[in-house]
Amino acid sequence: MIDMLRIGNGYDVHKLVENRKLILGGIEIPHEKGVLGHSDGDVLIHAIMDGLLGALALGDIGQHFPDTDMAYEGIDSKVLLKKVMTLIEEKGYKIINIDSIIVAQRPKLKPYLNQMRKILSEILNIDIDQLSIKATTEEKLGFTGSEEGIKSYAVVLLEK
Protein backbone atom coordinates (compact mmCIF):
# COMPACT_ATOMS: atom_id res chain seq x y z
CA MET A 1 0.00 0.00 0.00
CA ILE A 2 1.31 3.45 -0.89
CA ASP A 3 1.37 5.95 1.95
CA MET A 4 -1.22 8.65 1.52
CA LEU A 5 -0.08 12.28 1.79
CA ARG A 6 -2.49 15.19 2.24
CA ILE A 7 -1.68 18.92 2.10
CA GLY A 8 -3.73 21.61 3.82
CA ASN A 9 -3.61 25.38 3.71
CA GLY A 10 -4.81 27.56 6.57
CA TYR A 11 -5.40 31.29 6.99
CA ASP A 12 -6.79 33.48 9.75
CA VAL A 13 -7.08 37.20 10.42
CA HIS A 14 -8.29 39.23 13.39
CA LYS A 15 -8.70 42.89 14.14
CA LEU A 16 -6.37 44.46 16.73
CA VAL A 17 -8.14 46.42 19.48
CA GLU A 18 -7.40 47.90 22.87
CA ASN A 19 -8.36 46.12 26.11
CA ARG A 20 -7.79 42.61 24.73
CA LYS A 21 -4.84 40.25 25.17
CA LEU A 22 -2.52 39.43 22.28
CA ILE A 23 -2.40 35.65 22.21
CA LEU A 24 -0.24 34.05 19.50
CA GLY A 25 0.97 30.48 19.30
CA GLY A 26 -0.57 29.74 22.68
CA ILE A 27 1.24 32.46 24.62
CA GLU A 28 0.36 35.96 25.74
CA ILE A 29 2.59 38.59 24.20
CA PRO A 30 2.89 42.01 25.85
CA HIS A 31 1.38 44.66 23.57
CA GLU A 32 -0.96 47.64 23.90
CA LYS A 33 -3.46 45.95 21.57
CA GLY A 34 -4.89 42.47 21.42
CA VAL A 35 -7.02 40.45 19.04
CA LEU A 36 -10.76 40.76 18.74
CA GLY A 37 -12.41 37.40 18.44
CA HIS A 38 -15.03 35.04 19.83
CA SER A 39 -12.31 32.78 21.23
CA ASP A 40 -8.90 34.06 22.35
CA GLY A 41 -8.33 35.01 18.69
CA ASP A 42 -5.00 33.19 18.28
CA VAL A 43 -4.51 33.63 14.52
CA LEU A 44 -1.57 31.24 14.38
CA ILE A 45 -3.37 28.32 16.00
CA HIS A 46 -6.49 29.08 13.94
CA ALA A 47 -4.51 28.97 10.68
CA ILE A 48 -2.87 25.69 11.70
CA MET A 49 -6.25 24.18 12.62
CA ASP A 50 -7.75 25.26 9.29
CA GLY A 51 -4.79 23.69 7.48
CA LEU A 52 -5.20 20.41 9.36
CA LEU A 53 -8.95 20.30 8.76
CA GLY A 54 -8.55 21.27 5.12
CA ALA A 55 -5.98 18.56 4.47
CA LEU A 56 -8.62 15.95 5.28
CA ALA A 57 -11.56 17.85 3.74
CA LEU A 58 -13.17 18.22 7.16
CA GLY A 59 -14.31 21.80 6.65
CA ASP A 60 -12.97 24.70 8.68
CA ILE A 61 -12.83 25.85 12.27
CA GLY A 62 -16.04 27.85 11.83
CA GLN A 63 -17.91 24.61 11.14
CA HIS A 64 -16.42 22.80 14.12
CA PHE A 65 -16.32 25.71 16.59
CA PRO A 66 -18.90 28.31 15.42
CA ASP A 67 -18.73 31.83 16.82
CA THR A 68 -22.47 31.57 17.46
CA ASP A 69 -21.85 28.88 20.10
CA MET A 70 -21.32 30.40 23.52
CA ALA A 71 -19.36 27.30 24.58
CA TYR A 72 -16.42 28.69 22.59
CA GLU A 73 -16.60 32.29 23.80
CA GLY A 74 -13.17 33.26 25.15
CA ILE A 75 -11.90 29.67 24.85
CA ASP A 76 -8.18 28.99 24.76
CA SER A 77 -7.35 28.01 21.17
CA LYS A 78 -4.95 25.34 22.47
CA VAL A 79 -8.05 23.45 23.67
CA LEU A 80 -9.54 23.65 20.18
CA LEU A 81 -6.26 22.52 18.61
CA LYS A 82 -6.31 19.40 20.81
CA LYS A 83 -9.83 18.62 19.55
CA VAL A 84 -8.68 19.00 15.94
CA MET A 85 -5.73 16.70 16.62
CA THR A 86 -8.16 14.07 17.91
CA LEU A 87 -10.02 14.24 14.58
CA ILE A 88 -6.76 13.89 12.64
CA GLU A 89 -5.68 10.88 14.70
CA GLU A 90 -9.13 9.25 14.41
CA LYS A 91 -8.71 9.40 10.62
CA GLY A 92 -5.35 7.61 10.98
CA TYR A 93 -3.14 10.54 9.99
CA LYS A 94 -0.04 12.05 11.50
CA ILE A 95 1.66 15.36 10.87
CA ILE A 96 4.79 15.32 8.70
CA ASN A 97 5.44 19.05 8.99
CA ILE A 98 3.86 22.48 9.35
CA ASP A 99 5.19 25.72 7.90
CA SER A 100 3.52 28.88 9.22
CA ILE A 101 3.93 32.62 9.25
CA ILE A 102 2.50 35.43 11.35
CA VAL A 103 2.12 38.83 9.69
CA ALA A 104 2.17 41.79 12.11
CA GLN A 105 3.80 45.20 12.05
CA ARG A 106 4.28 45.16 15.81
CA PRO A 107 5.24 43.79 18.26
CA LYS A 108 8.43 42.11 17.17
CA LEU A 109 7.72 38.39 17.50
CA LYS A 110 11.16 36.81 17.04
CA PRO A 111 11.80 36.52 20.82
CA TYR A 112 8.63 34.40 21.21
CA LEU A 113 8.82 32.04 18.23
CA ASN A 114 10.74 29.19 19.88
CA GLN A 115 8.40 29.22 22.87
CA MET A 116 5.43 29.00 20.47
CA ARG A 117 7.09 26.11 18.62
CA LYS A 118 7.69 24.24 21.88
CA ILE A 119 4.10 24.63 23.13
CA LEU A 120 2.47 23.77 19.82
CA SER A 121 4.74 20.84 18.97
CA GLU A 122 3.81 19.26 22.32
CA ILE A 123 0.08 19.67 21.62
CA LEU A 124 0.52 18.35 18.07
CA ASN A 125 2.64 15.42 19.28
CA ILE A 126 5.45 16.21 16.84
CA ASP A 127 9.12 17.04 17.13
CA ILE A 128 9.83 20.76 17.33
CA ASP A 129 11.82 20.47 14.08
CA GLN A 130 8.59 19.53 12.27
CA LEU A 131 7.06 22.94 13.05
CA SER A 132 8.24 26.16 11.47
CA ILE A 133 6.87 29.48 12.73
CA LYS A 134 8.08 32.65 11.06
CA ALA A 135 7.11 36.28 11.55
CA THR A 136 7.19 39.19 9.16
CA THR A 137 5.80 42.67 8.61
CA GLU A 138 4.21 44.12 5.51
CA GLU A 139 6.47 47.18 5.58
CA LYS A 140 3.65 49.37 6.94
CA LEU A 141 1.36 48.44 4.02
CA GLY A 142 -2.21 47.19 4.27
CA PHE A 143 -4.22 46.51 7.41
CA THR A 144 -1.37 44.69 9.14
CA GLY A 145 1.08 47.45 8.29
CA SER A 146 -1.23 50.09 9.75
CA GLU A 147 -1.65 47.86 12.84
CA GLU A 148 -5.39 47.44 12.33
CA GLY A 149 -5.09 43.66 12.28
CA ILE A 150 -2.90 40.60 12.37
CA LYS A 151 -2.95 37.49 10.18
CA SER A 152 -1.37 34.10 9.85
CA TYR A 153 -0.87 31.46 7.17
CA ALA A 154 -0.06 27.77 7.57
CA VAL A 155 0.66 24.85 5.25
CA VAL A 156 0.51 21.34 6.68
CA LEU A 157 1.53 17.94 5.33
CA LEU A 158 -0.15 14.84 6.71
CA GLU A 159 0.59 11.15 6.14
CA LYS A 160 -1.56 8.08 6.66
Side-chain angles (χ1 to χ4, degrees), residues 13-16 103-105 143-151:
V13 61
H14 281 277
K15 184 176 182 174
L16 287 170
V103 183
Q105 191 64 40
F143 71 87
T144 62
S146 63
E147 300 181 44
E148 295 175 59
I150 188 167
K151 62 185 171 181

Side-chain angles (χ1 to χ4, degrees), residues 121-134:
S121 64
E122 289 173 3
I123 292 169
L124 297 167
N125 197 28
I126 58 175
D127 188 80
I128 196 167
D129 292 335
Q130 294 172 268
L131 174 60
S132 169
I133 303 174
K134 303 175 299 272

Side-chain angles (χ1 to χ4, degrees), residues 63-77:
Q63 289 175 259
H64 291 268
F65 315 110
D67 62 7
T68 54
D69 189 335
M70 297 311 289
Y72 304 117
E73 185 175 21
I75 195 165
D76 184 333
S77 292

Side-chain angles (χ1 to χ4, degrees), residues 39 49 65 72 75-84:
S39 67
M49 288 191 301
F65 315 110
Y72 304 117
I75 195 165
D76 184 333
S77 292
K78 294 187 302 287
V79 172
L80 303 179
L81 182 58
K82 288 176 187 175
K83 291 177 187 249
V84 169

Side-chain angles (χ1 to χ4, degrees), residues 14-155:
H14 281 277
K15 184 176 182 174
L16 287 170
V17 296
E18 294 181 358
N19 301 315
R20 289 278 299 204
K21 293 178 181 180
L22 180 57
I23 308 293
L24 292 171
I27 62 173
E28 183 176 345
I29 297 174
H31 193 54
E32 66 269 9
K33 290 183 177 180
V35 286
L36 183 62
H38 186 67
S39 67
D40 63 6
D42 189 325
V43 294
L44 177 61
I45 290 180
H46 294 181
I48 290 171
M49 288 191 301
D50 260 354
L52 291 167
L53 292 167
L56 296 181
L58 295 175
D60 62 26
I61 60 173
Q63 289 175 259
H64 291 268
F65 315 110
D67 62 7
T68 54
D69 189 335
M70 297 311 289
Y72 304 117
E73 185 175 21
I75 195 165
D76 184 333
S77 292
K78 294 187 302 287
V79 172
L80 303 179
L81 182 58
K82 288 176 187 175
K83 291 177 187 249
V84 169
M85 276 309 299
T86 299
L87 292 172
I88 302 305
E89 291 165 352
E90 286 173 355
K91 295 284 186 181
Y93 282 84
K94 65 180 181 174
I95 296 170
I96 299 300
N97 76 305
I98 297 173
D99 185 25
S100 63
I101 189 163
I102 305 165
V103 183
Q105 191 64 40
R106 288 185 324 115
K108 295 296 181 191
L109 298 173
K110 185 177 180 180
Y112 306 100
L113 297 180
N114 281 335
Q115 184 181 357
M116 291 178 196
R117 289 176 68 214
K118 183 178 184 315
I119 289 168
L120 297 183
S121 64
E122 289 173 3
I123 292 169
L124 297 167
N125 197 28
I126 58 175
D127 188 80
I128 196 167
D129 292 335
Q130 294 172 268
L131 174 60
S132 169
I133 303 174
K134 303 175 299 272
T136 192
T137 71
E138 288 187 313
E139 302 297 327
K140 299 188 178 183
L141 298 172
F143 71 87
T144 62
S146 63
E147 300 181 44
E148 295 175 59
I150 188 167
K151 62 185 171 181
S152 185
Y153 299 92
V155 176

